[in-house]
Amino acid sequence: MKKVAVGVDIGGTNTAIGIVDEMGHVLSKGGISTPSHGNVAVYIQDLSDAINKMITNVKLTNEDIEIVGIGVGAPNGNYYNGTIEFAPNLSFEGVVHVVKLLKEKFPEMDAIALTNDANAAAIGEMIYGGAKDMKNFVMYTLGTGVGSGVVVNGDLVYGHDGFAGECGHTTLVPDGRLCGCGAKGHLEAYCSAPGMKRTAFELLAKYNATDSPLANHTYNDLTSKMIYDAAVAGDKVALEVFELTGHHLGQGIADTIHHLSPEAIFLFGGPLAAGDFIIKPTKASMEAHLLPIFKNKIKLLPSNLDAGDAAIVGASALAWKELDR
């Protein structure tokens, strides 16, 4: 009997669903829209129907499979309570008891658990990726925000209330840029994809760089991929965007290393497609900000998870981790 887990990644617009085996191979994937109506009961019913349909379809081609559990990654996901709590990018208000509601729909499941999306990515890296043999590491996820998952002695660190590991909200620049959380100067305000766009526009103004290809785009139109393409073409503004982003990211990572002394830091997310443009300045800044006892000891690695499936694979890993408890 082949054992598989369901991975669910709840995003602001879409909810991705996949069935994943013990090796991290995605047997089937699909999804539903994350609703704007805010009706939790309707959403859970739609999600359950989609999961059941996917399980049925997978069993048509893989009769000897057993679904062991469901892992859910979500913004503001609290592992301890199985809840999504006051997520700003979701239509659901207040506290949503996702695990309790799913257990009512799937009472036969051995393991149903939820955490935030960055924690899910860290567990995915530990179960399926480059951190398989590591007991102490940190995953940084770069995207619309900057998330992180902290693993110490083989266990994810949740803290006393379930919300530990918000490295993206380290204050780097006192009274600096306004972060999406409402505070100023946080790492996320400089190293997220929107943060990179803000850096690009600051540099365009600083240099009056009307000849830069980035000057042809509005803020809403500009993407990190466009910044990367401009950097490849040698545009000085784009190249400096990556240098400054790496400088801030390396500084924040150095703080994390001083706190935790991990074996490695993993980086994941869209901006990592830029490769050495982002990794080299991040590594240089990290080493420059480290105490001598940590220099040249901590690995800085790109995630081994496939970018296209990482969210559902990471979420599914939560079910396997839950079974080991």
Side-chain angles (χ1 to χ4, degrees):
M1 183 74 70
K2 185 175 186 177
K3 293 184 177 181
V4 299
V6 178
V8 178
D9 177 64
I10 300 175
T13 304
N14 296 301
T15 297
I17 308 165
I19 296 181
V20 185
D21 69 16
E22 292 178 271
M23 301 301 293
H25 300 135
V26 179
L27 304 183
S28 178
K29 61 181 178 180
I32 61 173
S33 295
T34 304
S36 59
H37 53 61
N39 189 318
V40 176
V42 171
Y43 172 68
I44 293 296
Q45 184 61 58
D46 290 346
L47 177 60
S48 301
D49 289 344
I51 291 171
N52 278 320
K53 183 177 180 180
M54 192 171 291
I55 290 172
T56 299
N57 290 339
V58 168
K59 285 185 174 180
L60 290 176
T61 54
N62 301 269
E63 292 182 3
D64 295 327
I65 67 166
E66 176 188 358
I67 310 291
V68 300
I70 301 171
V72 182
N76 287 30
N78 187 320
Y79 169 78
Y80 290 152
N81 300 328
T83 52
I84 297 174
E85 303 186 13
F86 306 99
N89 295 323
L90 299 180
S91 63
F92 312 121
E93 295 183 359
V95 178
V96 182
H97 294 269
V98 175
V99 169
K100 176 178 178 291
L101 293 169
L102 284 176
K103 283 183 174 178
E104 292 173 359
K105 300 292 184 182
F106 299 95
E108 75 284 1
M109 294 286 185
D110 292 331
I112 299 178
L114 170 147
T115 189
N116 74 41
D117 39 8
N119 286 341
I123 294 173
E125 200 70 46
M126 181 165 53
I127 301 294
Y128 306 122
K132 277 184 179 179
D133 299 318
M134 295 183 187
K135 296 294 185 181
N136 296 274
F137 71 93
V138 180
M139 167 74 87
Y140 266 75
T141 60
L142 309 179
T144 305
V146 176
S148 57
V150 176
V151 175
V152 174
N153 296 330
D155 287 315
L156 203 76
V157 175
Y158 289 109
H160 85 280
D161 60 356
F163 292 113
E166 290 289 353
C167 298
H169 295 283
T170 301
T171 301
L172 294 186
V173 182
D175 292 320
R177 288 179 185 168
L178 186 66
C179 183
C181 70
K184 290 183 177 180
H186 286 182
L187 173 68
E188 181 174 295
Y190 295 88
C191 300
S192 62
M196 292 178 67
K197 294 201 297 181
R198 290 169 74 177
T199 299
F201 277 90
E202 287 174 2
L203 292 173
L204 287 169
K206 175 182 177 181
Y207 296 126
N208 192 25
T210 56
D211 59 338
S212 168
L214 303 183
N216 299 325
H217 299 282
T218 65
Y219 178 84
N220 289 334
D221 178 45
L222 187 65
T223 66
S224 55
K225 173 65 163 58
M226 292 173 184
I227 299 173
Y228 168 71
D229 289 340
V232 170
D235 178 63
K236 73 173 186 177
V237 171
L239 290 169
E240 191 167 342
V241 169
F242 283 111
E243 286 293 326
L244 289 173
T245 302
H247 172 79
H248 289 301
L249 184 57
Q251 181 184 348
I253 287 172
D255 285 346
T256 298
I257 291 169
H258 290 151
H259 297 156
L260 299 168
S261 187
E263 179 178 348
I265 302 287
F266 287 88
L267 300 178
F268 174 80
L272 269 296
D276 282 345
F277 282 113
I278 186 67
I279 291 178
K280 281 188 175 181
T282 300
K283 175 72 171 176
S285 177
M286 180 187 88
E287 295 292 349
H289 285 97
L290 285 175
L291 286 169
I293 55 172
F294 295 111
K295 287 184 183 292
N296 301 308
K297 286 171 56 178
I298 314 301
K299 301 169 188 171
L300 183 68
L301 302 169
S303 170
N304 277 12
L305 300 179
D306 180 84
D309 294 331
I312 54 177
V313 167
S316 74
L318 188 61
W320 299 115
K321 187 70 174 172
E322 197 71 6
L323 287 172
D324 290 339
R325 292 189 178 280

PDB file of all heavy atoms in Angstrom, residues 146-158:
ATOM      1  N   VAL A 146       8.361  38.586   3.132  1.00  0.00           N
ATOM      2  CA  VAL A 146       9.523  37.770   3.478  1.00  0.00           C
ATOM      3  C   VAL A 146       9.137  36.940   4.696  1.00  0.00           C
ATOM      4  O   VAL A 146       8.904  37.482   5.786  1.00  0.00           O
ATOM      5  CB  VAL A 146      10.765  38.616   3.799  1.00  0.00           C
ATOM      6  CG1 VAL A 146      11.918  37.711   4.258  1.00  0.00           C
ATOM      7  CG2 VAL A 146      11.202  39.421   2.579  1.00  0.00           C
ATOM      8  N   GLY A 147       9.023  35.631   4.487  1.00  0.00           N
ATOM      9  CA  GLY A 147       8.682  34.732   5.578  1.00  0.00           C
ATOM     10  C   GLY A 147       9.887  33.902   5.981  1.00  0.00           C
ATOM     11  O   GLY A 147      10.923  33.917   5.315  1.00  0.00           O
ATOM     12  N   SER A 148       9.740  33.174   7.069  1.00  0.00           N
ATOM     13  CA  SER A 148      10.830  32.299   7.487  1.00  0.00           C
ATOM     14  C   SER A 148      10.296  31.167   8.350  1.00  0.00           C
ATOM     15  O   SER A 148       9.289  31.314   9.041  1.00  0.00           O
ATOM     16  CB  SER A 148      11.894  33.087   8.265  1.00  0.00           C
ATOM     17  OG  SER A 148      11.328  33.735   9.379  1.00  0.00           O
ATOM     18  N   GLY A 149      10.985  30.039   8.264  1.00  0.00           N
ATOM     19  CA  GLY A 149      10.696  28.896   9.104  1.00  0.00           C
ATOM     20  C   GLY A 149      11.975  28.481   9.793  1.00  0.00           C
ATOM     21  O   GLY A 149      13.012  28.312   9.146  1.00  0.00           O
ATOM     22  N   VAL A 150      11.940  28.338  11.110  1.00  0.00           N
ATOM     23  CA  VAL A 150      13.131  28.064  11.913  1.00  0.00           C
ATOM     24  C   VAL A 150      13.062  26.632  12.444  1.00  0.00           C
ATOM     25  O   VAL A 150      12.076  26.252  13.100  1.00  0.00           O
ATOM     26  CB  VAL A 150      13.223  29.058  13.097  1.00  0.00           C
ATOM     27  CG1 VAL A 150      14.410  28.711  13.993  1.00  0.00           C
ATOM     28  CG2 VAL A 150      13.334  30.486  12.580  1.00  0.00           C
ATOM     29  N   VAL A 151      14.093  25.847  12.174  1.00  0.00           N
ATOM     30  CA  VAL A 151      14.171  24.468  12.660  1.00  0.00           C
ATOM     31  C   VAL A 151      15.352  24.351  13.621  1.00  0.00           C
ATOM     32  O   VAL A 151      16.488  24.677  13.272  1.00  0.00           O
ATOM     33  CB  VAL A 151      14.323  23.470  11.502  1.00  0.00           C
ATOM     34  CG1 VAL A 151      14.539  22.049  12.025  1.00  0.00           C
ATOM     35  CG2 VAL A 151      13.084  23.518  10.600  1.00  0.00           C
ATOM     36  N   VAL A 152      15.080  23.903  14.832  1.00  0.00           N
ATOM     37  CA  VAL A 152      16.100  23.727  15.870  1.00  0.00           C
ATOM     38  C   VAL A 152      15.992  22.318  16.417  1.00  0.00           C
ATOM     39  O   VAL A 152      14.902  21.870  16.801  1.00  0.00           O
ATOM     40  CB  VAL A 152      15.930  24.757  17.003  1.00  0.00           C
ATOM     41  CG1 VAL A 152      16.898  24.463  18.147  1.00  0.00           C
ATOM     42  CG2 VAL A 152      16.154  26.179  16.481  1.00  0.00           C
ATOM     43  N   ASN A 153      17.103  21.604  16.401  1.00  0.00           N
ATOM     44  CA  ASN A 153      17.151  20.223  16.897  1.00  0.00           C
ATOM     45  C   ASN A 153      16.097  19.338  16.223  1.00  0.00           C
ATOM     46  O   ASN A 153      15.513  18.452  16.844  1.00  0.00           O
ATOM     47  CB  ASN A 153      16.984  20.175  18.422  1.00  0.00           C
ATOM     48  CG  ASN A 153      18.121  20.855  19.151  1.00  0.00           C
ATOM     49  OD1 ASN A 153      19.257  20.886  18.656  1.00  0.00           O
ATOM     50  ND2 ASN A 153      17.848  21.429  20.305  1.00  0.00           N
ATOM     51  N   GLY A 154      15.858  19.603  14.944  1.00  0.00           N
ATOM     52  CA  GLY A 154      14.957  18.762  14.164  1.00  0.00           C
ATOM     53  C   GLY A 154      13.494  19.121  14.260  1.00  0.00           C
ATOM     54  O   GLY A 154      12.655  18.459  13.637  1.00  0.00           O
ATOM     55  N   ASP A 155      13.154  20.152  15.030  1.00  0.00           N
ATOM     56  CA  ASP A 155      11.755  20.543  15.184  1.00  0.00           C
ATOM     57  C   ASP A 155      11.556  21.998  14.772  1.00  0.00           C
ATOM     58  O   ASP A 155      12.403  22.853  15.049  1.00  0.00           O
ATOM     59  CB  ASP A 155      11.294  20.376  16.635  1.00  0.00           C
ATOM     60  CG  ASP A 155      11.120  18.923  17.020  1.00  0.00           C
ATOM     61  OD1 ASP A 155      10.533  18.167  16.214  1.00  0.00           O
ATOM     62  OD2 ASP A 155      11.565  18.531  18.117  1.00  0.00           O
ATOM     63  N   LEU A 156      10.429  22.242  14.150  1.00  0.00           N
ATOM     64  CA  LEU A 156      10.089  23.620  13.808  1.00  0.00           C
ATOM     65  C   LEU A 156       9.810  24.399  15.085  1.00  0.00           C
ATOM     66  O   LEU A 156       9.170  23.891  16.009  1.00  0.00           O
ATOM     67  CB  LEU A 156       8.857  23.639  12.905  1.00  0.00           C
ATOM     68  CG  LEU A 156       8.718  24.890  12.045  1.00  0.00           C
ATOM     69  CD1 LEU A 156       9.694  24.851  10.881  1.00  0.00           C
ATOM     70  CD2 LEU A 156       7.318  25.023  11.515  1.00  0.00           C
ATOM     71  N   VAL A 157      10.304  25.617  15.144  1.00  0.00           N
ATOM     72  CA  VAL A 157      10.098  26.464  16.318  1.00  0.00           C
ATOM     73  C   VAL A 157       8.816  27.276  16.121  1.00  0.00           C
ATOM     74  O   VAL A 157       8.719  28.079  15.193  1.00  0.00           O
ATOM     75  CB  VAL A 157      11.299  27.410  16.534  1.00  0.00           C
ATOM     76  CG1 VAL A 157      11.023  28.366  17.687  1.00  0.00           C
ATOM     77  CG2 VAL A 157      12.565  26.606  16.807  1.00  0.00           C
ATOM     78  N   TYR A 158       7.846  27.065  17.009  1.00  0.00           N
ATOM     79  CA  TYR A 158       6.578  27.780  16.935  1.00  0.00           C
ATOM     80  C   TYR A 158       6.449  28.848  18.020  1.00  0.00           C
ATOM     81  O   TYR A 158       5.599  29.723  17.931  1.00  0.00           O
ATOM     82  CB  TYR A 158       5.409  26.805  17.059  1.00  0.00           C
ATOM     83  CG  TYR A 158       5.216  25.923  15.849  1.00  0.00           C
ATOM     84  CD1 TYR A 158       5.511  24.577  15.892  1.00  0.00           C
ATOM     85  CD2 TYR A 158       4.730  26.455  14.660  1.00  0.00           C
ATOM     86  CE1 TYR A 158       5.326  23.764  14.783  1.00  0.00           C
ATOM     87  CE2 TYR A 158       4.542  25.649  13.545  1.00  0.00           C
ATOM     88  CZ  TYR A 158       4.841  24.311  13.610  1.00  0.00           C
ATOM     89  OH  TYR A 158       4.664  23.506  12.506  1.00  0.00           O
TER      90      TYR A 158
END
